[in-house]
Amino acid sequence: MYELRQQKRKELREKKWFYYAILAIGIFVFSQGCSLMSRDPGYAATAAVLGLLLHNGSVDKIYMSIFSHEAHKYAKITMLIVLCIIAVFSYFKRLGFPLFVILDLGAVLLFAVIAFICQKLTKQQE
C-alpha cells in the first residue's frame, strides 16, 4: 500500500503542470497571509511561512524545466530574503491582496533574472 502511494506521488510530480500548480498555490497563500498580517499576525505568519515553503519547492523546478539548467543557489536565497522582507513589511503597512501578488511575482521574476545572470557568468568563466 505504501509503495503504491509513493508511486502515485512520483507520477504526479512528473506531470508538467504540477510545479506550476504548487507555485500558484504558494503565491496565493503567501499573498493572503501578507494581506492579513496587520490584522491577525498569528495565522497570517503561518500562511506566509507555508507560502515560502511552497515557493522554495517549486520555483527551482519550474526554472529548470524552462531553461534546461539548474538555478544558482544565490537566486533562491535572494528570492526567499525578498519574500521575508515583504512579509515583515506587511506587518507594519496594510496593503491590499493584489499588491502583494504583484510583489510576489516580482520576487519570482527576480529569482529568474539572478539565476540567468549567474548562469551566464559561470559560462563565461569556463
Side-chain angles (χ1 to χ4, degrees), residues 15-35:
K15 297 207 186 270
K16 189 172 186 157
W17 53 267
F18 179 74
Y19 289 107
Y20 291 101
I22 295 294
L23 180 62
I25 293 167
I27 289 172
F28 175 76
V29 169
F30 181 79
S31 301
Q32 192 68 28
C34 285
S35 66

Side-chain angles (χ1 to χ4, degrees), residues 26-38 41 44-45 47-49 51-52 55 77-111:
I27 289 172
F28 175 76
V29 169
F30 181 79
S31 301
Q32 192 68 28
C34 285
S35 66
L36 295 174
M37 189 72 78
S38 62
V49 169
L52 285 173
H55 278 78
I77 291 169
T78 304
M79 180 192 67
L80 291 175
I81 289 172
V82 167
L83 289 174
C84 288
I85 290 170
I86 291 170
V88 169
F89 179 74
S90 70
Y91 179 74
F92 298 109
K93 184 76 174 167
R94 188 173 188 176
L95 301 173
F97 176 77
L99 188 58
F100 286 118
V101 171
I102 292 170
L103 290 172
D104 196 346
L105 291 174
V108 172
L109 182 65
L110 181 68
F111 168 84

